[in-house]
Amino acid sequence: EDDLLPEGAQPLTAEEEAARLAAKACKGDWGPVFVYGSMLFPTAWSDLLGYLPTMSSATLRGYERRCFIVGGFAGIFESPGHSVVGMIVRGLSPQDRLLLDGVVDDAFVLRETIVEPTGDAESRLIVSQCGLPEFNGRYVPDGTMGGRCCYRHEQRDKKGLYRTIHFESGHWHFCQDYRGFFYKSDWDGQTPPPNQDDWVIDTDGITPLPLVKKEPVTIECSTYIVRESCMDSLGDIDWDFEYFSEHCLDGFAAMCRDTRIAKQDEKLPDDILKEL
């Protein structure tokens, strides 16, 4: 039944048929998209899709954002040492993605990339340099304890136990299955202390002290970058959210709305189109 078209609708084009098959193959989702300019505005998405998709903040590293000299739009390009803050958009159907392509200028090309979400996403921890080598390795979030996230090693030890890190009674603890401790710290942060000197050793511990670092959470996604041949169209300053909102958003939102209506009209039979 999912393959049936609405009554009176014309057959799908080759492009739309490919999109439909892709939707069935990947359960209606072509993966998240990272946006950083005009599509940061909820009104743009509402006018383009007819609904507001799921969005969350993220950072794209190794790229720089500039404003186009004409039009007020944003563009990004590879630039080591720089980063771009934007939003991850999830759950777009193939048809949604075609609509998005319809409002993206030919100066852009789609590129696969990796972003780091910000906000509530919990990072994994990487422990190294610990005198007890079984504590070294990667730790994954494992619920909460003492009002903070607790972590367990991704592998069991030879006794079938997990090495764990948790907060209890005002201290961070390195222990086994959340009992006792080999190392502890009175650090009161939301995550374990990043400095080795902040840990102390229990009688069963061995120096050196553990070094704890966050492993960034990353998401594979796609984004639109400026074509090499269009780089001269970019100015020297960053894109301005407030300026675009005041001077450009109304016109862009109207274009989004017109694009959605045009796509809907493409599916209507000729006799109905003549009456519009």
Side-chain angles (χ1 to χ4, degrees):
E1 295 182 355
D2 292 339
D3 293 338
L4 296 178
L5 293 173
E7 184 176 355
Q10 293 184 350
L12 298 178
T13 64
E15 184 182 43
E16 290 170 335
E17 178 63 12
R20 184 188 68 80
L21 294 175
K24 293 182 67 175
C26 60
K27 299 183 179 180
D29 190 349
W30 278 358
V33 180
F34 177 76
V35 297
Y36 51 83
S38 55
M39 295 309 298
L40 292 176
F41 295 90
T43 184
W45 286 106
S46 296
D47 285 329
L48 181 64
L49 306 181
Y51 73 95
L52 184 62
T54 301
M55 304 173 67
S56 57
S57 60
T59 299
L60 173 63
R61 303 194 183 279
Y63 285 80
E64 184 176 353
R65 183 178 62 187
R66 297 270 185 87
C67 185
F68 277 87
I69 297 172
V70 178
F73 290 93
I76 63 172
F77 55 93
E78 288 190 66
S79 181
H82 291 85
S83 60
V84 178
V85 176
M87 302 287 284
I88 280 285
V89 184
R90 295 181 172 88
L92 298 180
S93 69
Q95 186 63 37
D96 293 338
R97 292 290 294 269
L98 291 175
L99 286 170
L100 178 59
D101 284 341
V103 296
V104 175
D105 191 86
D106 291 340
F108 294 88
V109 62
L110 198 61
R111 170 75 59 83
E112 298 299 314
T113 188
I114 295 175
V115 298
E116 299 174 11
T118 58
D120 297 332
E122 291 290 348
S123 300
R124 296 180 181 182
L125 300 180
I126 301 296
V127 177
S128 62
Q129 303 183 23
C130 185
L132 290 171
E134 55 266 35
F135 276 104
N136 292 327
R138 179 183 286 107
Y139 288 71
V140 297
D142 189 35
T144 59
M145 188 178 298
R148 291 164 175 76
C149 183
C150 51
Y151 306 84
R152 64 170 175 80
H153 201 288
E154 62 181 4
Q155 296 180 346
R156 298 178 185 270
D157 61 19
K158 294 179 180 180
K159 297 181 180 179
L161 302 175
Y162 283 111
R163 303 288 169 159
T164 53
I165 307 173
H166 74 283
F167 188 83
E168 181 181 359
S169 302
H171 295 83
W172 282 97
H173 296 76
F174 269 95
C175 52
Q176 288 179 321
D177 281 352
Y178 302 109
R179 294 191 295 272
F181 70 91
F182 292 80
Y183 305 90
K184 75 174 183 177
S185 171
D186 60 3
W187 171 268
D188 194 33
Q190 290 298 310
T191 56
N195 300 317
Q196 289 176 283
D197 293 341
D198 289 320
W199 295 98
V200 296
I201 307 174
D202 186 51
T203 53
D204 294 325
I206 301 175
T207 56
L209 298 167
L211 176 64
V212 182
K213 292 184 177 181
K214 287 185 178 181
E215 181 183 64
V217 177
T218 59
I219 296 176
E220 294 182 357
C221 66
S222 55
T223 192
Y224 293 90
I225 70 169
V226 179
R227 294 180 185 274
E228 188 69 29
S229 59
C230 299
M231 289 293 294
D232 291 343
S233 300
L234 292 175
D236 297 327
I237 60 174
D238 191 8
W239 178 78
D240 191 296
F241 183 94
E242 297 296 335
Y243 179 89
F244 190 90
S245 176
E246 183 176 352
H247 298 281
C248 309
L249 180 57
D250 287 345
F252 179 65
M255 183 176 74
C256 291
R257 188 164 53 254
D258 290 344
T259 299
R260 175 164 61 92
I261 293 173
K263 284 292 184 182
Q264 291 173 342
D265 290 345
E266 288 177 0
K267 291 186 172 62
L268 296 175
D270 292 340
D271 57 336
I272 294 180
L273 285 174
K274 291 178 182 178
E275 298 176 1
L276 296 179

